[in-house]
Amino acid sequence: MRSIWNGAISFGLVSIPIKLVNATENHSISFRQIHLADGGRIRYRKVCELDEEEVSGGEIGKAYEDADGTMIPITDEDLAQLPLPTAKTIEIVAFVPADRIDPLQMDAAYYLSANGVPAAKPYTLLREALKRSNRVAVAKYALRGRERLGMLRVVDDVIAMHGLLWPDEIRAPQDAAPDGDITVRDAELDLADALMDTLGEVDMDSLHDDYREAVEELVAAKAAGETVLPAEPEDTGDGKVIDLIAALENSVRAARKSRNVEGAGDGDGDGGMADVHPIKKTSSKTSGKTARTTEAEQTTKAEQTTGTAKKTTHRTPTGKTVTRSGSSTAKKSAPKSTGAKKSTSTAKKSAGSAGSRTTAKKTTTKTATKKRTSSSSGGTTAKKTAPSRKRTSA
Protein backbone atom coordinates (compact mmCIF):
# COMPACT_ATOMS: atom_id res chain seq x y z
CA MET A 1 0.00 0.00 0.00
CA ARG A 2 1.19 3.48 -0.84
CA SER A 3 2.07 5.64 2.14
CA ILE A 4 0.47 9.07 2.43
CA TRP A 5 2.64 10.40 5.25
CA ASN A 6 6.04 9.59 6.74
CA GLY A 7 7.02 10.46 10.29
CA ALA A 8 7.53 8.91 13.70
CA ILE A 9 5.60 7.89 16.80
CA SER A 10 6.81 9.71 19.89
CA PHE A 11 6.46 7.23 22.78
CA GLY A 12 8.10 9.10 25.65
CA LEU A 13 11.78 9.25 24.72
CA VAL A 14 11.32 6.43 22.22
CA SER A 15 10.92 7.42 18.57
CA ILE A 16 9.43 4.87 16.15
CA PRO A 17 9.78 5.68 12.42
CA ILE A 18 6.50 4.81 10.68
CA LYS A 19 4.65 5.16 7.39
CA LEU A 20 0.96 6.11 7.32
CA VAL A 21 -1.29 4.26 4.87
CA ASN A 22 -5.05 4.37 4.38
CA ALA A 23 -6.90 1.55 6.12
CA THR A 24 -10.12 2.04 4.15
CA GLU A 25 -11.12 2.50 0.53
CA ASN A 26 -14.20 3.89 -1.16
CA HIS A 27 -16.17 1.56 -3.45
CA SER A 28 -18.96 4.00 -4.24
CA ILE A 29 -19.85 4.45 -7.91
CA SER A 30 -19.18 7.98 -9.11
CA PHE A 31 -21.08 9.74 -11.89
CA ARG A 32 -20.12 12.49 -14.31
CA GLN A 33 -22.21 15.49 -15.20
CA ILE A 34 -23.31 15.65 -18.83
CA HIS A 35 -25.24 18.01 -21.08
CA LEU A 36 -28.68 16.42 -21.55
CA ALA A 37 -29.08 17.85 -25.03
CA ASP A 38 -26.04 16.20 -26.62
CA GLY A 39 -24.43 14.09 -23.85
CA GLY A 40 -21.33 16.27 -23.67
CA ARG A 41 -19.22 16.18 -20.53
CA ILE A 42 -19.63 19.08 -18.10
CA ARG A 43 -16.32 20.11 -16.52
CA TYR A 44 -15.33 22.61 -13.87
CA ARG A 45 -12.60 25.02 -14.78
CA LYS A 46 -10.74 27.29 -12.37
CA VAL A 47 -11.12 30.85 -13.55
CA CYS A 48 -9.73 34.00 -12.00
CA GLU A 49 -12.47 36.46 -11.09
CA LEU A 50 -10.38 39.49 -12.04
CA ASP A 51 -9.21 38.65 -15.56
CA GLU A 52 -11.74 35.82 -16.19
CA GLU A 53 -8.96 33.56 -17.46
CA GLU A 54 -8.50 29.89 -16.68
CA VAL A 55 -5.45 29.17 -14.50
CA SER A 56 -3.45 25.98 -13.91
CA GLY A 57 -2.70 24.27 -10.59
CA GLY A 58 0.81 25.70 -10.42
CA GLU A 59 -0.59 29.23 -10.41
CA ILE A 60 -2.96 28.62 -7.49
CA GLY A 61 -2.01 29.36 -3.86
CA LYS A 62 -3.71 29.62 -0.44
CA ALA A 63 -5.30 32.63 1.23
CA TYR A 64 -7.36 33.37 4.28
CA GLU A 65 -10.53 35.39 3.71
CA ASP A 66 -11.02 38.08 6.31
CA ALA A 67 -14.41 39.16 7.60
CA ASP A 68 -14.51 42.12 5.20
CA GLY A 69 -13.65 39.87 2.22
CA THR A 70 -9.95 40.75 2.13
CA MET A 71 -7.71 37.87 0.96
CA ILE A 72 -4.61 37.30 3.12
CA PRO A 73 -2.11 35.06 1.24
CA ILE A 74 -0.58 32.16 3.20
CA THR A 75 2.33 30.22 1.70
CA ASP A 76 3.64 26.75 2.44
CA GLU A 77 6.78 28.32 3.87
CA ASP A 78 4.66 30.27 6.35
CA LEU A 79 3.01 27.04 7.54
CA ALA A 80 6.33 25.17 7.73
CA GLN A 81 7.77 27.79 10.10
CA LEU A 82 4.97 27.36 12.65
CA PRO A 83 6.13 25.92 16.03
CA LEU A 84 4.15 22.70 15.53
CA PRO A 85 5.85 19.69 17.20
CA THR A 86 3.46 17.27 15.53
CA ALA A 87 4.34 18.32 11.98
CA LYS A 88 6.19 15.04 11.42
CA THR A 89 5.41 13.24 14.67
CA ILE A 90 2.50 11.32 16.11
CA GLU A 91 2.83 12.43 19.72
CA ILE A 92 1.20 10.11 22.27
CA VAL A 93 -0.24 12.17 25.11
CA ALA A 94 -2.15 9.57 27.18
CA PHE A 95 -3.38 5.97 27.48
CA VAL A 96 -7.07 5.50 28.29
CA PRO A 97 -9.64 2.66 28.25
CA ALA A 98 -11.25 2.20 24.85
CA ASP A 99 -14.74 3.00 26.19
CA ARG A 100 -13.56 6.50 27.06
CA ILE A 101 -13.54 7.37 23.35
CA ASP A 102 -16.93 8.52 22.09
CA PRO A 103 -17.74 6.78 18.76
CA LEU A 104 -19.07 10.13 17.53
CA GLN A 105 -15.46 11.32 17.40
CA MET A 106 -14.35 8.53 15.03
CA ASP A 107 -13.07 9.76 11.68
CA ALA A 108 -10.72 8.29 9.07
CA ALA A 109 -8.71 5.12 9.80
CA TYR A 110 -5.06 4.44 9.00
CA TYR A 111 -2.49 1.67 9.42
CA LEU A 112 0.88 2.52 10.93
CA SER A 113 3.68 0.52 9.32
CA ALA A 114 7.20 0.27 10.74
CA ASN A 115 9.55 2.22 8.46
CA GLY A 116 12.73 0.22 8.21
CA VAL A 117 14.43 -2.54 10.19
CA PRO A 118 15.47 -0.38 13.20
CA ALA A 119 11.80 0.52 13.78
CA ALA A 120 10.67 -3.12 14.15
CA LYS A 121 11.75 -3.52 17.80
CA PRO A 122 10.17 -0.35 19.28
CA TYR A 123 7.10 -0.85 17.07
CA THR A 124 6.59 -4.35 18.47
CA LEU A 125 7.18 -3.06 22.02
CA LEU A 126 4.40 -0.45 21.69
CA ARG A 127 2.06 -2.97 20.08
CA GLU A 128 2.49 -5.54 22.84
CA ALA A 129 2.19 -2.89 25.55
CA LEU A 130 -1.16 -1.78 24.11
CA LYS A 131 -2.34 -5.38 23.96
CA ARG A 132 -1.42 -6.17 27.56
CA SER A 133 -2.87 -2.97 29.00
CA ASN A 134 -6.22 -3.27 27.15
CA ARG A 135 -6.01 0.45 26.57
CA VAL A 136 -5.70 2.78 23.59
CA ALA A 137 -3.30 5.66 23.04
CA VAL A 138 -4.52 9.21 22.49
CA ALA A 139 -2.18 11.15 20.22
CA LYS A 140 -1.79 14.38 18.26
CA TYR A 141 -0.54 14.55 14.68
CA ALA A 142 -0.50 16.98 11.76
CA LEU A 143 -1.87 16.03 8.35
CA ARG A 144 -2.94 18.06 5.33
CA GLY A 145 -2.18 21.43 6.88
CA ARG A 146 -3.84 21.02 10.25
CA GLU A 147 -3.24 19.39 13.61
CA ARG A 148 -5.52 16.47 14.39
CA LEU A 149 -6.41 14.15 17.25
CA GLY A 150 -5.95 10.41 16.93
CA MET A 151 -6.43 7.11 18.73
CA LEU A 152 -3.97 4.22 18.42
CA ARG A 153 -5.11 0.63 18.92
CA VAL A 154 -3.98 -2.84 17.87
CA VAL A 155 -5.64 -4.67 14.96
CA ASP A 156 -4.22 -8.19 14.62
CA ASP A 157 -0.46 -7.52 14.58
CA VAL A 158 -0.66 -3.95 13.29
CA ILE A 159 -1.05 -0.62 15.09
CA ALA A 160 -4.01 1.26 13.62
CA MET A 161 -4.79 4.93 14.10
CA HIS A 162 -8.26 6.44 13.99
CA GLY A 163 -8.52 10.12 13.33
CA LEU A 164 -10.71 11.76 15.96
CA LEU A 165 -12.71 14.94 15.86
CA TRP A 166 -11.84 17.47 18.51
CA PRO A 167 -14.34 17.52 21.40
CA ASP A 168 -15.54 21.00 20.43
CA GLU A 169 -16.38 19.70 16.94
CA ILE A 170 -19.08 17.37 18.31
CA ARG A 171 -22.47 19.05 18.32
CA ALA A 172 -24.77 18.61 21.31
CA PRO A 173 -27.87 16.46 20.56
CA GLN A 174 -30.27 19.32 21.19
CA ASP A 175 -33.83 19.04 19.85
CA ALA A 176 -33.06 15.60 18.43
CA ALA A 177 -35.07 13.59 20.98
CA PRO A 178 -38.88 13.29 20.62
CA ASP A 179 -40.89 16.00 22.30
CA GLY A 180 -43.17 15.22 25.24
CA ASP A 181 -43.20 12.55 27.91
CA ILE A 182 -43.54 9.21 26.08
CA THR A 183 -43.96 5.99 28.03
CA VAL A 184 -43.26 2.48 26.79
CA ARG A 185 -45.17 -0.51 28.15
CA ASP A 186 -43.47 -3.65 29.41
CA ALA A 187 -45.24 -5.75 26.74
CA GLU A 188 -43.72 -3.58 24.03
CA LEU A 189 -40.28 -3.88 25.60
CA ASP A 190 -40.66 -7.67 25.82
CA LEU A 191 -41.52 -7.87 22.12
CA ALA A 192 -38.61 -5.58 21.28
CA ASP A 193 -36.30 -7.87 23.28
CA ALA A 194 -37.73 -10.90 21.46
CA LEU A 195 -37.08 -9.22 18.11
CA MET A 196 -33.50 -8.40 19.12
CA ASP A 197 -32.90 -11.98 20.24
CA THR A 198 -34.39 -13.37 17.03
CA LEU A 199 -32.29 -11.15 14.78
CA GLY A 200 -29.27 -12.20 16.83
CA GLU A 201 -25.75 -11.49 15.63
CA VAL A 202 -24.36 -11.15 12.13
CA ASP A 203 -21.11 -11.93 10.40
CA MET A 204 -19.84 -8.46 9.53
CA ASP A 205 -17.90 -9.85 6.55
CA SER A 206 -21.18 -10.99 4.98
CA LEU A 207 -22.59 -7.44 4.76
CA HIS A 208 -22.35 -5.72 1.38
CA ASP A 209 -23.65 -2.70 -0.51
CA ASP A 210 -26.87 -3.79 -2.27
CA TYR A 211 -27.36 -0.36 -3.82
CA ARG A 212 -23.95 -0.39 -5.48
CA GLU A 213 -24.62 -3.85 -6.94
CA ALA A 214 -27.98 -2.66 -8.28
CA VAL A 215 -26.32 0.37 -9.91
CA GLU A 216 -23.66 -1.86 -11.51
CA GLU A 217 -26.39 -4.12 -12.94
CA LEU A 218 -28.25 -1.06 -14.22
CA VAL A 219 -25.13 0.28 -15.96
CA ALA A 220 -24.38 -3.13 -17.50
CA ALA A 221 -27.95 -3.49 -18.77
CA LYS A 222 -27.97 -0.01 -20.31
CA ALA A 223 -24.58 -0.61 -21.94
CA ALA A 224 -25.95 -3.80 -23.51
CA GLY A 225 -29.04 -1.99 -24.79
CA GLU A 226 -31.43 -3.95 -22.59
CA THR A 227 -34.68 -2.59 -21.23
CA VAL A 228 -34.56 -2.00 -17.49
CA LEU A 229 -37.83 -2.67 -15.71
CA PRO A 230 -38.61 -0.46 -12.71
CA ALA A 231 -38.51 -2.20 -9.35
CA GLU A 232 -41.70 -2.56 -7.37
CA PRO A 233 -41.80 0.02 -4.57
CA GLU A 234 -41.73 -1.36 -1.06
CA ASP A 235 -44.59 -0.66 1.32
CA THR A 236 -43.15 1.75 3.86
CA GLY A 237 -46.44 2.46 5.58
CA ASP A 238 -46.70 5.99 4.08
CA GLY A 239 -46.30 7.53 7.54
CA LYS A 240 -49.51 5.99 8.84
CA VAL A 241 -49.96 5.45 12.55
CA ILE A 242 -49.53 1.74 13.18
CA ASP A 243 -50.25 -0.61 16.03
CA LEU A 244 -46.84 -0.95 17.67
CA ILE A 245 -47.62 -4.31 19.28
CA ALA A 246 -48.85 -5.79 15.98
CA ALA A 247 -45.83 -4.40 14.14
CA LEU A 248 -43.45 -5.92 16.68
CA GLU A 249 -45.21 -9.29 16.53
CA ASN A 250 -45.07 -9.30 12.73
CA SER A 251 -41.41 -8.31 12.88
CA VAL A 252 -40.59 -11.20 15.22
CA ARG A 253 -42.52 -13.60 12.97
CA ALA A 254 -40.74 -12.36 9.85
CA ALA A 255 -37.33 -12.51 11.55
CA ARG A 256 -37.92 -16.07 12.71
CA LYS A 257 -38.98 -17.06 9.22
CA SER A 258 -35.89 -15.54 7.61
CA ARG A 259 -33.57 -16.94 10.24
CA ASN A 260 -35.35 -20.31 10.24
CA VAL A 261 -35.09 -20.55 14.00
CA GLU A 262 -35.25 -24.20 15.08
CA GLY A 263 -38.35 -25.02 17.07
CA ALA A 264 -40.06 -21.70 16.38
CA GLY A 265 -42.18 -22.94 13.48
CA ASP A 266 -45.87 -23.83 13.63
CA GLY A 267 -45.42 -27.20 11.94
CA ASP A 268 -45.28 -25.89 8.40
CA GLY A 269 -41.61 -24.95 8.64
CA ASP A 270 -42.25 -21.26 8.09
CA GLY A 271 -40.64 -20.25 11.37
CA GLY A 272 -43.70 -18.30 12.51
CA MET A 273 -45.16 -18.11 15.98
CA ALA A 274 -47.02 -21.31 16.79
CA ASP A 275 -50.80 -21.25 17.20
CA VAL A 276 -52.12 -23.48 20.00
CA HIS A 277 -55.40 -25.29 19.34
CA PRO A 278 -57.16 -27.45 22.00
CA ILE A 279 -57.66 -31.12 21.16
CA LYS A 280 -61.34 -31.84 20.62
CA LYS A 281 -62.84 -34.58 22.79
CA THR A 282 -64.23 -37.56 20.91
CA SER A 283 -67.67 -38.84 21.88
CA SER A 284 -68.12 -42.38 23.19
CA LYS A 285 -70.01 -43.49 20.08
CA THR A 286 -67.31 -42.22 17.78
CA SER A 287 -64.61 -43.79 19.96
CA GLY A 288 -66.33 -47.17 19.86
CA LYS A 289 -66.74 -46.99 16.12
CA THR A 290 -63.14 -46.00 15.67
CA ALA A 291 -61.98 -48.81 17.94
CA ARG A 292 -63.94 -51.39 15.98
CA THR A 293 -62.61 -50.08 12.68
CA THR A 294 -59.06 -50.08 14.01
CA GLU A 295 -59.54 -53.65 15.27
CA ALA A 296 -60.52 -54.83 11.80
CA GLU A 297 -57.61 -52.93 10.22
CA GLN A 298 -55.14 -54.45 12.69
CA THR A 299 -56.44 -57.97 12.05
CA THR A 300 -56.14 -57.51 8.28
CA LYS A 301 -52.60 -56.12 8.65
CA ALA A 302 -51.61 -59.08 10.81
CA GLU A 303 -52.87 -61.50 8.11
CA GLN A 304 -51.04 -59.69 5.31
CA THR A 305 -47.70 -59.55 7.14
CA THR A 306 -45.87 -62.87 7.76
CA GLY A 307 -42.54 -63.75 9.40
CA THR A 308 -40.83 -61.25 11.64
CA ALA A 309 -41.66 -58.02 9.71
CA LYS A 310 -45.19 -57.24 10.98
CA LYS A 311 -46.62 -53.72 10.83
CA THR A 312 -49.46 -52.35 12.91
CA THR A 313 -51.25 -49.11 12.08
CA HIS A 314 -52.87 -47.03 14.83
CA ARG A 315 -55.13 -44.05 14.19
CA THR A 316 -55.24 -41.69 17.16
CA PRO A 317 -58.32 -39.62 18.08
CA THR A 318 -56.62 -36.50 16.74
CA GLY A 319 -56.33 -38.01 13.26
CA LYS A 320 -52.61 -38.94 13.30
CA THR A 321 -51.48 -42.29 11.93
CA VAL A 322 -48.64 -44.16 13.66
CA THR A 323 -47.02 -47.22 12.10
CA ARG A 324 -44.99 -49.61 14.22
CA SER A 325 -43.00 -52.62 13.09
CA GLY A 326 -41.81 -55.77 14.86
CA SER A 327 -43.37 -59.02 16.07
CA SER A 328 -43.61 -57.86 19.68
CA THR A 329 -45.51 -54.73 18.62
CA ALA A 330 -47.96 -56.73 16.57
CA LYS A 331 -48.72 -58.93 19.54
CA LYS A 332 -49.30 -55.96 21.83
CA SER A 333 -51.59 -54.18 19.40
CA ALA A 334 -53.87 -57.20 18.88
CA PRO A 335 -57.51 -56.72 20.08
CA LYS A 336 -58.34 -57.94 23.56
CA SER A 337 -61.56 -59.80 22.61
CA THR A 338 -61.66 -63.62 22.60
CA GLY A 339 -62.73 -63.85 18.99
CA ALA A 340 -59.84 -61.68 17.83
CA LYS A 341 -57.31 -63.75 19.82
CA LYS A 342 -58.54 -66.99 18.31
CA SER A 343 -58.55 -65.53 14.83
CA THR A 344 -55.02 -64.21 15.25
CA SER A 345 -53.66 -67.48 16.63
CA THR A 346 -55.35 -69.43 13.88
CA ALA A 347 -53.82 -67.06 11.34
CA LYS A 348 -50.34 -67.71 12.78
CA LYS A 349 -50.83 -71.51 12.59
CA SER A 350 -52.04 -71.35 8.99
CA ALA A 351 -49.08 -69.21 7.80
CA GLY A 352 -47.31 -72.32 6.44
CA SER A 353 -48.88 -72.56 2.97
CA ALA A 354 -50.30 -70.18 0.41
CA GLY A 355 -53.70 -71.87 0.34
CA SER A 356 -54.10 -71.74 4.09
CA ARG A 357 -53.18 -67.99 4.11
CA THR A 358 -55.95 -67.26 1.60
CA THR A 359 -58.55 -69.19 3.62
CA ALA A 360 -57.45 -67.55 6.86
CA LYS A 361 -57.73 -64.08 5.30
CA LYS A 362 -61.32 -64.68 4.14
CA THR A 363 -62.30 -66.34 7.43
CA THR A 364 -60.84 -63.49 9.50
CA THR A 365 -62.70 -60.89 7.44
CA LYS A 366 -65.97 -62.71 8.02
CA THR A 367 -65.18 -63.01 11.73
CA ALA A 368 -64.49 -59.28 12.08
CA THR A 369 -67.72 -58.41 10.22
CA LYS A 370 -69.88 -60.69 12.30
CA LYS A 371 -68.24 -59.44 15.49
CA ARG A 372 -69.31 -55.88 14.73
CA THR A 373 -72.88 -56.99 13.99
CA SER A 374 -73.46 -59.05 17.11
CA SER A 375 -71.28 -59.61 20.11
CA SER A 376 -73.00 -62.92 20.90
CA SER A 377 -72.18 -64.45 17.52
CA GLY A 378 -68.44 -63.97 17.99
CA GLY A 379 -67.93 -67.29 19.78
CA THR A 380 -70.04 -69.23 17.26
CA THR A 381 -68.09 -67.82 14.36
CA ALA A 382 -64.82 -68.77 15.99
CA LYS A 383 -66.08 -72.36 16.52
CA LYS A 384 -67.18 -72.67 12.88
CA THR A 385 -63.92 -71.34 11.68
CA ALA A 386 -61.76 -73.86 13.49
CA PRO A 387 -63.17 -77.05 11.77
CA SER A 388 -63.04 -75.31 8.39
CA ARG A 389 -59.35 -74.54 8.86
CA LYS A 390 -58.63 -78.08 10.01
CA ARG A 391 -60.19 -79.48 6.86
CA THR A 392 -58.26 -77.06 4.70
CA SER A 393 -54.99 -77.90 6.42
CA ALA A 394 -55.69 -81.60 6.11
Side-chain angles (χ1 to χ4, degrees):
M1 292 182 286
R2 186 177 63 89
S3 64
I4 61 173
W5 185 87
N6 291 341
I9 300 175
S10 176
F11 179 32
L13 297 178
V14 178
S15 180
I16 309 171
I18 54 97
K19 294 185 293 183
L20 191 71
V21 297
N22 283 317
T24 61
E25 55 188 1
N26 188 4
H27 291 166
S28 299
I29 297 176
S30 59
F31 298 100
R32 304 296 185 189
Q33 291 183 332
I34 61 171
H35 187 195
L36 293 177
D38 53 15
R41 173 83 180 273
I42 303 297
R43 297 179 181 271
Y44 291 98
R45 290 182 171 88
K46 298 179 180 180
V47 178
C48 177
E49 290 182 352
L50 297 179
D51 54 19
E52 296 183 353
E53 293 183 359
E54 185 178 352
V55 295
S56 62
E59 302 176 275
I60 299 175
K62 300 182 183 69
Y64 177 80
E65 185 177 3
D66 204 355
D68 58 357
T70 304
M71 295 295 177
I72 304 174
I74 302 294
T75 65
D76 292 337
E77 290 75 13
D78 295 334
L79 296 176
Q81 294 175 1
L82 292 176
L84 187 62
T86 58
K88 284 293 182 180
T89 303
I90 299 175
E91 183 182 356
I92 296 177
V93 296
F95 292 90
V96 299
D99 56 6
R100 287 274 303 277
I101 305 298
D102 191 342
L104 287 173
Q105 292 183 252
M106 294 289 187
D107 200 359
Y110 308 94
Y111 289 137
L112 304 181
S113 174
N115 191 4
V117 177
K121 179 71 174 182
Y123 182 96
T124 305
L125 173 64
L126 176 60
R127 182 192 67 195
E128 296 303 316
L130 288 172
K131 279 184 180 181
R132 192 169 71 172
S133 65
N134 292 323
R135 290 182 290 179
V136 297
V138 178
K140 290 182 179 181
Y141 66 101
L143 183 65
R144 299 188 180 100
R146 54 172 291 203
E147 188 176 55
R148 303 168 187 262
L149 191 64
M151 178 191 73
L152 276 63
R153 69 184 184 97
V154 179
V155 178
D156 295 334
D157 289 333
V158 177
I159 299 176
M161 183 174 68
H162 295 268
L164 300 178
L165 299 175
W166 295 99
D168 59 358
E169 293 179 319
I170 305 298
R171 299 174 61 184
Q174 298 178 18
D175 304 327
D179 295 331
D181 187 11
I182 301 175
T183 58
V184 179
R185 293 180 293 172
D186 291 339
E188 295 169 340
L189 282 174
D190 293 340
L191 283 172
D193 290 340
L195 178 58
M196 292 168 62
D197 293 338
T198 304
L199 291 175
E201 298 182 357
V202 66
D203 182 8
M204 297 299 292
D205 294 334
S206 66
L207 301 178
H208 58 277
D209 189 351
D210 294 327
Y211 180 78
R212 177 170 59 88
E213 293 180 358
V215 172
E216 290 175 350
E217 293 175 1
L218 173 65
V219 172
K222 287 218 166 195
E226 299 176 359
T227 303
V228 181
L229 298 177
E232 296 182 0
E234 297 182 0
D235 185 12
T236 58
D238 299 330
K240 298 178 181 178
V241 178
I242 60 174
D243 183 357
L244 187 56
I245 291 291
L248 288 171
E249 289 176 347
N250 292 334
S251 300
V252 172
R253 187 178 292 106
R256 286 179 177 173
K257 183 176 181 179
S258 62
R259 292 277 180 167
N260 195 18
V261 178
E262 184 179 357
D266 56 1
D268 296 330
D270 60 353
M273 298 180 70
D275 295 326
V276 180
H277 300 283
I279 300 176
K280 296 181 180 180
K281 294 184 179 180
T282 309
S283 62
S284 58
K285 293 182 179 180
T286 308
S287 302
K289 186 176 179 180
T290 306
R292 289 195 295 272
T293 305
T294 306
E295 180 182 342
E297 291 178 357
Q298 291 173 353
T299 307
T300 306
K301 290 284 184 178
E303 299 295 340
Q304 291 176 352
T305 308
T306 58
T308 57
K310 296 181 181 181
K311 295 182 179 179
T312 306
T313 303
H314 298 271
R315 190 179 299 276
T316 63
T318 56
K320 294 184 179 179
T321 303
V322 181
T323 304
R324 297 179 181 175
S325 59
S327 57
S328 60
T329 307
K331 289 180 182 179
K332 290 182 180 179
S333 59
K336 295 183 179 180
S337 62
T338 307
K341 287 183 179 178
K342 290 182 179 180
S343 301
T344 307
S345 60
T346 307
K348 290 182 179 178
K349 290 180 181 179
S350 58
S353 61
S356 61
R357 285 199 299 271
T358 305
T359 306
K361 193 179 298 182
K362 293 180 179 180
T363 305
T364 308
T365 306
K366 291 179 180 180
T367 304
T369 305
K370 290 180 180 181
K371 178 176 176 61
R372 288 196 301 270
T373 307
S374 174
S375 59
S376 61
S377 61
T380 308
T381 304
K383 290 179 181 179
K384 290 180 180 180
T385 304
S388 175
R389 290 177 182 168
K390 283 185 180 181
R391 288 196 296 272
T392 305
S393 302

